[in-house]
Amino acid sequence: MTLEEKIAHIQSVSMEEARAEGNEIITAYKTALEKVFEDHKKEAVRQSQTRVRAESTNARQQKNQAMAKAQLDLKRQQGKVQQELKNKLFAEVADLVRDFMKTPDYDAFLVKCIESALEFASGEEMTIYINPSDRDKKEKLEEKTGAALTISTEDFMGGMRAVLRGRNILIDHSFKSSLENEYDQFIFSGGDDIG
């Protein structure tokens, strides 16, 4: 069952419960009003009509409140499910990143990032950091790029970071920052039209 089907099912069940509750309230009020009508013929007719209108409005309001509460509960549940799915998705992405880091393409990515940072610095003094998990790649990367690399004390999940202290600039090609940015900006589109 897809998320949309689950949401539609929950919405349908909630709406049926709200309608049943509203119908029970209306039925109870009608029964009470009919008894009053029988007991007080002429004068009661006028009073009961006034009461029926008032009680029907009240019942509709209660029904609307019940439906609004059901919709709010549904939205909360939808938000919770979306958060769980988002967390699961990003856990899978992190696994894919770790798998990518074991490939030659990752080494090429590091070389490209380091060369890009060197070009940006234009000879200015810069500290280039690689992730602690990439310690074994340090010598090969230094040979390919001609840059002195520093092993970071912080695990940033891979990629590289560079600091140009003279201009107070951080070049951040770390996977941790990229994933955090994507996580913060990620929202599920569609499925918000409940009601």
Side-chain angles (χ1 to χ4, degrees):
M1 185 179 272
T2 68
L3 177 61
E4 287 82 9
E5 290 171 338
K6 287 180 183 177
I7 291 172
H9 175 72
I10 292 169
Q11 182 180 18
S12 173
V13 169
S14 298
M15 292 304 175
E16 287 300 320
E17 289 176 2
R19 282 189 199 101
E21 189 177 318
N23 290 337
E24 285 178 20
I25 292 168
I26 290 171
T27 301
Y29 283 125
K30 277 187 176 181
T31 301
L33 292 174
E34 286 171 1
K35 187 177 186 311
V36 169
F37 177 77
E38 290 298 319
D39 293 340
H40 304 94
K41 293 271 184 188
K42 289 182 181 178
E43 181 60 24
V45 167
R46 186 182 60 78
Q47 291 178 357
S48 66
Q49 288 173 343
T50 302
R51 276 179 136 171
V52 166
R53 283 192 296 271
E55 296 297 341
S56 294
T57 299
N58 186 31
R60 276 192 301 277
Q61 288 174 344
Q62 288 184 14
K63 177 182 167 186
N64 289 342
Q65 287 173 350
M67 289 174 61
K69 182 183 181 303
Q71 281 184 323
L72 184 61
D73 290 344
L74 184 61
K75 281 212 180 258
R76 280 191 195 118
Q77 188 170 0
Q78 177 187 15
K80 181 180 176 186
V81 168
Q82 285 181 343
Q83 187 63 44
E84 289 171 3
L85 290 173
K86 181 177 176 178
N87 290 342
K88 184 177 179 183
L89 173 68
F90 277 86
E92 289 178 20
V93 169
D95 288 342
L96 291 172
V97 166
R98 283 187 280 279
D99 290 344
F100 171 70
M101 289 174 64
K102 297 172 187 171
T103 68
D105 288 340
Y106 174 61
D107 295 347
F109 169 78
L110 288 175
V111 168
K112 181 180 170 190
C113 289
I114 293 166
E115 288 174 345
S116 174
L118 290 169
E119 184 179 323
F120 179 80
S122 300
E124 188 176 331
E125 186 179 327
M126 171 175 57
T127 305
I128 301 174
Y129 296 96
I130 60 172
N131 202 59
S133 62
D134 295 328
R135 181 180 310 275
D136 60 327
K137 303 177 187 306
K138 183 177 186 273
E139 278 186 44
K140 284 185 181 177
L141 291 171
E142 287 176 335
E143 286 175 23
K144 287 183 180 180
T145 63
L149 303 177
T150 304
I151 307 293
S152 176
T153 56
E154 175 191 351
D155 183 355
F156 46 80
M157 284 185 64
M160 60 76 67
R161 289 180 175 165
V163 177
L164 282 90
R165 299 204 193 291
R167 290 194 270 168
N168 205 19
I169 294 176
L170 170 66
I171 300 170
D172 191 350
H173 293 290
S174 69
F175 294 150
K176 181 179 180 181
S177 295
S178 295
L179 284 174
E180 286 173 353
N181 289 339
E182 288 300 319
Y183 185 89
D184 291 342
Q185 294 175 16
F186 184 86
I187 39 176
F188 286 95
S189 57
D192 287 341
D193 188 20
I194 299 172

